[in-house]
Amino acid sequence: MEQVDARWRSGTDRTVVRVQDKVQVAEGVVTLTLTAPDGGRLPDWTPGAHVDLTLENGLTRQYSLCGDRWDAHSYRVGVLLEPAGRGGSSYVHEQLEPGHVLGLGGPRNNFPLVPAESYLFVAGGIGITPVLPMIAQADLLGADWQLLYGGRTRSSMAFLDELSAHGDRVQVRPQDEFGLLDLPAFLGEPRPGTPVYACGPAPLLAALETACAGWPARALHTERFVAADQGAPVRTTAFDVELHRSGRTVTVTPDTSVLEALAAAGVEVLSSCRQGTCGTCETTVLAGVPDHRDSLLDDDERAAGDCMYPCVSRSCSDRLVLDL
């Protein structure tokens, strides 16, 4: 097996994969098929899961798994080219080739599919990727479902051939042909027991939150590409973070994240997005009150206060005790 960079072995859930195949599936979208270098079994996953890929240029990015979850020997991810991004997608599109070896973290699932007899799915652009395995799971269980899929143009929308097999359960609505998605018409009247799953750009998710205002609590499940605006932090003064395992204390100043303060003190916490959207840096809180500033936890999880994402979250109390 190829020699692997040591940074890919920084966490217990890290492994390596080889790019088996790279396919253009839409304008600006490629899929990567990933396999273990020795052809062995990859970790199991569930619909909604994502992996962290550490690219050969050192960048780490998150991609939703969009292949067959019952295929134990390969993963599939879809990657949208974002010219104004931070360089990860450009590297994948322009330099990554079959045969290259990548570091892989996860899978992790912050967007799990809850059991139900019916579902409504909404996808915008590359947000279709986590929805594909959800549809397969709903089909497997015999649940009723409908999908509303939007994008800039038909040519930019990936996996249309695969989705065509589902007939009129899938509504494909390119913006240049239909305008903005008609969410109220698709959702209809609130349906108790029918969760709504959505992934896509922030304006779409904001519109969905408005459209689902009359639905039962927690009916809407979303996954974000970009962190939601959390407003100003609760406190603007420094606070201390006690590391329970080592007994050390690290001071976090107002202009430094908890993650940055830990790194400066030589404490490595596996991280990726640094926006509070991927869940990679989840850390257990043993004492203190976190100031949750992520886009992952729901209200009950925030109230519990037993975990936090140190890349963005801070502290309401003078001291936090973390399981580090």
Side-chain angles (χ1 to χ4, degrees), residues 59-72:
L59 296 175
T60 298
R61 296 292 181 263
Q62 304 77 45
Y63 300 109
S64 296
L65 291 169
C66 61
D68 179 2
R69 63 171 294 214
W70 303 109
D71 179 353

Side-chain angles (χ1 to χ4, degrees), residues 125-144:
I126 199 64
I128 190 62
T129 50
V131 173
L132 289 177
M134 292 183 175
I135 287 172
Q137 183 75 0
D139 263 347
L140 180 67
L141 298 177
D144 186 27

Side-chain angles (χ1 to χ4, degrees), residues 26-106:
E27 180 183 307
V29 180
V30 297
T31 58
L32 304 177
T33 300
L34 310 171
T35 59
D38 62 0
R41 185 185 183 99
L42 293 171
D44 293 338
W45 58 282
T46 54
H50 72 270
V51 292
D52 306 319
L53 290 185
T54 300
L55 308 175
E56 291 177 318
N57 63 356
L59 296 175
T60 298
R61 296 292 181 263
Q62 304 77 45
Y63 300 109
S64 296
L65 291 169
C66 61
D68 179 2
R69 63 171 294 214
W70 303 109
D71 179 353
H73 295 88
S74 72
Y75 290 159
R76 183 179 70 167
V77 299
V79 182
L80 171 68
L81 177 60
E82 299 180 88
R86 295 178 293 159
S89 68
S90 296
Y91 181 85
V92 169
H93 276 255
E94 297 168 8
Q95 300 182 52
L96 195 64
E97 298 294 341
H100 286 192
V101 174
L102 309 176
L104 181 140

Side-chain angles (χ1 to χ4, degrees), residues 77-230:
V77 299
V79 182
L80 171 68
L81 177 60
E82 299 180 88
R86 295 178 293 159
S89 68
S90 296
Y91 181 85
V92 169
H93 276 255
E94 297 168 8
Q95 300 182 52
L96 195 64
E97 298 294 341
H100 286 192
V101 174
L102 309 176
L104 181 140
R108 299 181 181 84
N109 199 340
N110 304 314
F111 193 41
L113 188 68
V114 299
E117 294 184 358
S118 61
Y119 300 92
L120 292 175
F121 299 108
V122 180
I126 199 64
I128 190 62
T129 50
V131 173
L132 289 177
M134 292 183 175
I135 287 172
Q137 183 75 0
D139 263 347
L140 180 67
L141 298 177
D144 186 27
W145 60 269
Q146 298 287 325
L147 166 65
L148 179 62
Y149 180 20
R152 292 181 295 100
T153 63
R154 194 174 294 269
S155 62
S156 71
M157 299 171 68
F159 310 112
L160 293 182
D161 288 346
E162 293 181 28
L163 291 169
S164 66
H166 298 293
D168 59 8
R169 282 188 169 191
V170 177
Q171 298 179 31
V172 176
R173 297 291 185 267
Q175 186 174 349
D176 64 340
E177 298 177 26
F178 294 90
L180 296 177
L181 295 179
D182 189 346
L183 299 175
F186 176 71
L187 295 171
E189 294 298 317
R191 307 183 208 176
T194 298
V196 180
Y197 277 82
C199 184
L204 171 61
L205 300 185
L208 263 170
E209 289 173 353
T210 299
C212 288
W215 284 60
R218 300 182 182 87
L220 178 61
H221 304 256
T222 62
E223 183 166 66
R224 295 180 177 273
F225 301 146
V226 179
D229 182 10
Q230 302 294 335

